[in-house]
Amino acid sequence: MRIPCPHCGERDYSEFRYGGDASKQRPAHGSGDIKAWHDFYFLFDNPKGPHAEYWQHVLGCRRWFVLTRNTATNEVGGPA
Amino acid sequence: MLERRSALAGTKEIASSRVRLGEVRGFTLTQVAALDDPVLSDIRAVLGDLPQHPFCGEKDGRRIFHTAPHQFWIVGPEADDIGRRLEGMAIVTGLSHSRTRIFVEGPAAPDVLAKVIEIDLHEAVFGPGMFAMTGLHHTPILLHRVTASRFEIYAMRTFAANAWDWLADAALEFV
Amino acid sequence: MSNRYSALALARHALDPDLSWPRAWRSPDPQRSYDVVIVGGGGHGLATAHYLAKNHGIRRVAVLERAYIGSGNVGRNTTLIRSNYMMGGNTNFFEFSLKLWEGLSHELNFNCMVSQRGQIVLAVSPVQLDVYARRGNIMRLNGIDAELLDRGEVMKLLPYLDYSDEARWPIWGGILQRRAGTVRHDAVAWGYARAADSAGVDIIENCEVTGFTIEGGQVTGVETSRGRIAAGKVGIAVAGHSSQVAALAGLRLPVESHILQAFVTEPVKPIVDHVVSWGAELFYLSQSDKGGLVFGGHIDGFNTYTQRGQFAKIRGVAECAVSLMPFISRLRLLRHWGGIQDMTPDGSPFICRTPIRNLYLNGGWCYQGFKATPASGWTFAHTIAHDEEHDLNRCYTLDRFEKGGELDEYGTGNWTYKQ
Amino acid sequence: MTRFHRRPEGGHIDRARQVSFTLNGRSYSGFAGDTLASALLANDVTLIGRSFKYHRPRGLVSAGVEEPNALFTLGSGARTEPNIPGTIVDLVDGLEARTQNAWPSVGFDLMAVNQLAAPLFQSGFYYKTFMGPAKGSWMFYEPFIRRAAGLGAATRAFDPDRYETRHQHCDVLVVGAGAAGLAAAISAGRSGARVFLAEQDALLGGGLLAEPAMESWRQARLAELQAMPNVQMATRCTAMGLYDDNLVVLVERRDHARPDASKGQPRQVSISLRAKAIVFATGAIERPLVFGDNDRPGIMLASAVRTYLNRFAIVPGRRAVVATNNDTAYPLAAELAAAGVAVMLVDSRPTTAAVAPGVNVLADSSVATVAGRGHIQQVTLSGAHRATFDCDVLAVSGGWSPTLHLTSHTGIKPRYDAAIAAFVPGGFAKTHFGAGAVMGTFGLRAAIIEGAKAGVEAAGAAGFATSDGAMTTIQGNDPTYAITVAPPVLSGKGKAFLDFQSDVTAKDVKIAHQEGYQSVEHLKRYTTLGMGTDQGKTSNVNALAAMSELRGMQIPAVGTTTFRPPYTGVAMGAIAGRGIGKHFRPTRLSPLHDWHRANGATFIEAGPWLRVYYYAWAGDTVATAYVKEMELVRRGVGLSDVSTLGKIDVQGPDAAEFLNRVYVNGFAKLPVGKARYGVMLNDDGVVLDDGTTTRISETQFYLTTTTAQAGEVMSWLEFLLQTQWRDLRVHVTSLTDEWAGMALAGPKSREALQLAFPGVDVSNHGLPYMGCLEFDYEGAQIRLLRLSFSGELAYEIHLPADYSIPLWEHILRVAAPLGIKPYGLEALASLRIEKGHVAGLELDHRNTLDDLGLGKMAAKEKPFVGKELRMRENLQAPDRWSLVGLELLEPGKSLRGGAILFAATDEIKGHGRGYITSVTWSVELQKTIALGLYQGGLKNVGAEIICAFPLKDEFVRARIVSPHFVDPKGERLNA
């Protein structure tokens, strides 16, 4: 699989680190709402299809970015 | 004065008609980062035009690499005051000891690198003056193509011996 | 004539060419309604149906399978069984499962080739050996066999590993569970199917569930590609696709789907007599009865439903194999494939009720679905029959994360993609 | 009398270069250009193996990778290699081959008794028996089954050869160098695109190598290609698999060149080739016919007989029968006749194609039975002509199966084309193209034109718009291709084999069907059909035909099996390449490593790092050495390498606010020049890491992490700054490689410092506990921190890595009068146990702040990462296992890491109330002590407990005490 790093360009997936579902909204720092934090941290839509997700180019520029990938085909790009 | 001691102090240069493997010592590596665009123009005031990835800029005996958005590596001579000159205006981090600079040279250099480096090394794609941040045996490196047949690798110091062993082994069939 | 399998019956059939074996399981059309509908004709679903009939006398049961039975992970795994778990809840569940394995061929009258050849987990540092010792001690304290091996003892048992100075990580010792081993994976699906079928369970292949009928917070049936089927209770056992099916009932799960790859070499004469696992990096290998070396490693590490692995991971696993057992270098890889599995934040499964009445979930199996199959079916059947978890699966509930009840066996932390 | 013999001239072999080899120790000779198989055939060796289950005599079936029977064990000693098809082995001088699966010999195989019991071995038999008498009886039968199975024997010796990997990129990859592939490579090459032409065979040409009439065309095309610098051609180079985003992995074999590992020459190279576009010109594989005893030696695929005749110049005896259901076998009949062989062509179709003079044709007839055990002697026909003929070879063609394996690796299902009775690619991705037989195009002319077109299209897809598809082709039209597949014979006497290698017969399929194993996957798994080393290349379609017959369905309705990589077996070594042995994973070295190695250090692996376990000065085993090293620190002064700690530069106007958010304790008000111990949680409220962070200036911090979590923490901080808290003006950079660190510890450490840095005020006033001094020493920037991991008066000296060895040597030299010595990891870890500092074993992603006795650190007011979820019910339970110290109460016995803890009154079973994490001998207390987690923690101080280690049958009494064994009030580190 090839992943387009916004800074370095397209590279093999092995240069990156996966960071999970990027569509989930992290509760505000110190929100204090345990339920919100539980749902954010432990629950996943896990869609079969377009998926917005975090990746970090750890062997490159170390940027974290959001990638849209179709989990049914591994095709990168397209609307989330 | 304390003597600098390289991570590869114990290694010997490898040389054959097809490939040479060695280390470049005595340089200063300064990382300068800007938290926003205005700061970038301050930096330009000091360094002049900043090169855009993937092209390495060469100016006043310094090489400048655009290593990340709003972040540059400046490789200068052993005694380089560029860091001090930039301090205060941008976020400056000295990294001179953090990277070990290995060169791979000769007609077989691309063949040696292609054994372990994933990016396309074809001259039309990755030509002289270009660089890439990529991986060498699971570790991050900055790969700079200085000329058609000379590459310089900036490897993490603590992984430098590993990178050297790997490259020396890869070069074996050309030595 | 009797459908019982035995050497005698086999001989009878050999002598009389006109004698033909009956179907291992029927191919019925779905009835209008069942007491229990199990979604998913994999190992867990079929085992559940078997135990619903056998242990609870519930025979009006349908197992609905989207494709053919055993088409999921029961036919894609590396066939290992073991019970070397240390966390309260896991230890007894997986030991119960191993005990069921030990009697399974007899219970099902189907030879599942349960081979207790022993598993050795190799430690690559003194600290890791301590961690393994903790697990081994817990096993012993719960009546499970475990032996601590030093380097010398490992060398005697596995003389073909790399003990040279070339090895990146030296082998310090290991832990051996003699009762661990392998099982012929397809036979598990077929054996459970045959047993369940003979008890009256309808196994319906090529029947995809497309929805649930839910009235007043209670499930009353399923919509399928072969029409609506009413059900008193519905159990979901589709690990790998749990999120997809649960979503049809409006449920959101602590699950991400990841691919785990598996590998087999060409068949060779017996050369590896144990299950060997390595602590340097997740890697496990055994030799099938057919002679192929079957092995696997970590998940690829990002969620996907494609059953194709990434080559970088394939190379990583090959590096493990050759580094640990250098002789493998000359053997040829025959086939590699992938299976999609539910990864949960803590690496532990779900066998439990759901927020919807009479709808039950069995999933989240991560790496350990196959070895759990018998206990999973047994406890899931109990949970469905009694509408409450059995002591053995009480810790495998959906709400454990709300309570901080994580069951992180390997101390990897709450990351689906790092388990 | 000999049957097969070599013609005096012709073929792609070099008669000037004779090659000698051995089979089962007996010497034979062949020519350069031969394969092992062709050389054996030329020597009239036709019986080359025994079948897997029934041990029936077997001979060559094919001339390619699809060969199911002719498997040999090659080489000897560490180079032994089982199960290699002789059809793909270049004949080289001294090649050693052995037949397999027969004892004592393939000619006389005692195991052939299996044939008597054959009816027992029908498909699935082992699922029905070997269960009795008792539970676990399988363990008794299994060894026999295992020994009987397994084809050839491998060696346990380490592979002495070398394997390489290579990464490559191209615009157009052409897989297969037959007529279509050559044309595609040329037309793509003309566009200027970077073209890679991969051919698994030793020669370029594919089927053309068996087409004498095409030789001049082939030569001309090769010349064209050689003239193109942008075209790279690789032979003996098999595309094993197609992966996401056009990654094709190719394996190049170099055995024929006798590579020398000591010179770095690889035996095989696996190439990860990333192509912008791909042309699949992979050809097709011929299928056998299904009839009784269709596995007899001398029964070969028509295409194989043709290849041996034309490429290897081998005449198959005097009398040949060619049996076919399609047109492709006709040229063979003509060529055999021309070679002086009496040919009888048997066509199952009512009407036959035109035939050459000298060929007798019988239409509407098929092979019913054959005679001859060790080699075929007679063929008896059914249908229109129920005659019997003597023959030396029976060439069969059951039609062709396009080689679409690669095209389906990324999930595209094949489509059944009834017109050619075969599966073809079910479709292509944008950048994929097909040409020739793989598309079902069996005519040469059409294949060439299709290839040229595919080359142009592929170049276009790769961004090379203008290309020239004009291609020299051949005159006249292709012969039409027609095929009529007769339903396979499912009963009748004599075994009708579908899968030769796995010994699966038509009857086995019938049984599978009866028992309900009717889906293709069930059929394969139940009968093991297609599961052999040939992966069913010749058997899949015939088996599908049989099952569709039984189910009364069309083949497409029965389905096809999914093709898994690799296309053909690939040596594991080639996939692994050089990432093995000491290069398995990168090794990370401290900047002080060279000094350690030169000064008697014993190293130990700690994750990627090599760290000093202990030094020779203290002893020659760790057990004695670490105690000496501890004493050194407790009583004098020692120096230790802590460069592996994670170090992070945190800079920016909001740096303080940032740290204040990620640490559970406050950092906003940390004064410049002061260090503070901090703990981070993960979002789930579980402890992530701890470390000491120093404020260098208002806007700059020097953060340290544990060695183990350095990477995690760095990534985590970057994640928060780059994706969640983009409003914070902070930049982080790893300094782990830039800075070295050394711990100077012991009551005499301050004196040592004074000697090392005269003129720097390191008095308690000048550098108080948790203070930091920055100064320049001999050109090196020094960061001197006063903090202690051991509980002694101690300091950490951080400085740029290249200066670390000189400074280390300087300190050891000037402080020598104080008796200073270096100490290693075991002592370091043991000293921290005495002090009750948590480390790796306690920070295991399961424990909370309170579990580690750090609950008091959590800020009440300010928010911090993990503050919410750490409050979850079970994480706050009062009886959680938490950190305690333990003292051994039974001198002479031992505490061990991993021991399970029980209260004195407990029954010793179950999961206990806790466990021991770390153990050491305390030089301070002169007794064995430990850290562990125990239910209720320090509420139990003073309690006597049992430490159970049943793995060694040890049950030892210990007392729960405070984990702070040394200087609990901290007087030493504040002194």
Side-chain angles (χ1 to χ4, degrees), chain D residues 171-172 188 191-194 276 456-467:
Chain D
D171 298 310
V172 177
S191 72
R194 269 195 288 166
K276 291 205 181 78
V456 171
E457 289 169 345
F464 294 78
T466 60
S467 194

Side-chain angles (χ1 to χ4, degrees), chain B residues 49-60:
Chain B
D49 279 344
L50 296 169
Q52 289 306 300
H53 175 279
F55 299 97
C56 165
E58 307 235 8
K59 198 143 179 283
D60 315 329

Side-chain angles (χ1 to χ4, degrees), chain B residues 31-43:
Chain B
Q31 174 179 283
V32 55
L35 291 171
D36 52 35
D37 298 343
V39 177
L40 273 182
S41 34
D42 300 350
I43 297 172

Side-chain angles (χ1 to χ4, degrees), chain C residues 6-325:
Chain C
S6 69
L8 217 70
L10 205 61
R12 204 168 57 242
H13 280 259
L15 297 174
D16 178 356
D18 303 331
L19 205 55
S20 67
W21 294 103
R23 287 187 67 108
W25 61 90
R26 297 161 297 127
S27 175
D29 288 324
Q31 298 169 31
R32 210 174 282 99
S33 91
Y34 292 92
D35 294 343
V36 178
V37 163
I38 302 296
V39 184
H44 294 250
L46 293 164
T48 304
H50 167 70
Y51 291 112
L52 276 170
K54 180 170 183 255
N55 297 357
H56 307 284
I58 302 175
R59 293 190 159 72
R60 292 190 62 257
V61 176
V63 177
L64 309 183
E65 168 53 45
R66 179 174 61 176
Y68 56 91
I69 62 164
S71 51
N73 292 336
V74 71
R76 294 169 187 271
N77 61 80
T78 48
T79 79
L80 307 186
I81 59 168
R82 55 182 174 86
S83 62
N84 52 346
Y85 286 76
M86 73 176 184
M87 303 295 280
N90 285 343
T91 316
N92 302 332
F93 177 86
F94 283 96
E95 172 60 10
F96 180 70
S97 201
L98 188 53
K99 287 211 167 77
L100 289 174
W101 280 121
E102 287 171 325
L104 196 65
S105 295
H106 272 247
E107 177 178 347
L108 302 179
N109 177 232
F110 199 100
N111 186 0
C112 302
M113 302 174 209
V114 178
S115 169
Q116 295 182 283
R117 54 186 67 181
Q119 180 201 27
I120 299 170
V121 187
L122 301 162
V124 298
S125 74
V127 170
Q128 192 171 46
L129 200 53
D130 282 359
V131 173
Y132 291 175
R134 178 186 169 196
R135 174 166 288 118
N137 283 324
I138 289 286
M139 290 164 70
R140 289 280 283 267
L141 291 165
N142 286 274
I144 304 167
D145 75 297
E147 296 163 50
L148 195 62
L149 308 173
D150 63 24
R151 180 178 166 92
E153 291 163 319
V154 172
M155 288 171 97
K156 277 197 212 74
L157 286 169
L158 310 174
Y160 46 84
L161 304 184
D162 185 0
Y163 300 97
S164 73
D165 299 340
E166 280 291 288
R168 173 66 182 81
W169 278 284
I171 292 165
W172 283 78
I175 185 143
L176 163 66
Q177 182 182 21
R178 293 191 189 271
R179 286 167 57 243
T182 63
V183 173
R184 173 78 181 98
H185 58 5
D186 292 319
V188 176
W190 301 336
Y192 271 121
R194 179 165 164 270
D197 175 272
S198 64
V201 171
D202 282 357
I203 295 165
I204 302 160
E205 298 178 273
N206 304 306
C207 178
E208 179 170 9
V209 169
T210 55
F212 295 87
T213 42
I214 297 165
E215 294 154 20
Q218 172 168 334
V219 71
T220 58
V222 292
E223 302 292 342
T224 80
S225 54
R226 296 176 66 172
R228 183 177 187 287
I229 301 173
K233 297 178 173 184
V234 177
I236 301 172
V238 297
H241 293 74
S242 296
S243 300
Q244 299 301 307
V245 174
L248 297 174
L251 298 176
R252 201 160 166 246
L253 304 180
V255 166
E256 233 186 13
S257 294
H258 285 250
I259 178 176
L260 178 66
Q261 302 196 63
F263 308 79
V264 65
T265 68
E266 63 191 307
V268 292
K269 294 295 178 193
I271 191 164
V272 173
D273 301 326
H274 303 81
V275 177
V276 180
S277 305
W278 197 25
E281 219 164 86
L282 187 55
F283 175 75
Y284 36 93
L285 178 145
S286 67
Q287 183 171 21
S288 78
D289 287 334
K290 271 188 87 236
L293 300 183
V294 180
F295 53 97
H298 256 297
I299 51 175
D300 282 16
F302 58 91
N303 78 325
T304 182
Y305 288 91
T306 68
Q307 288 173 334
R308 301 187 295 279
Q310 298 302 309
F311 186 74
K313 184 63 64 174
I314 292 164
R315 170 160 293 154
V317 171
E319 289 167 339
C320 289
V322 178
S323 297
L324 181 61
M325 307 180 179

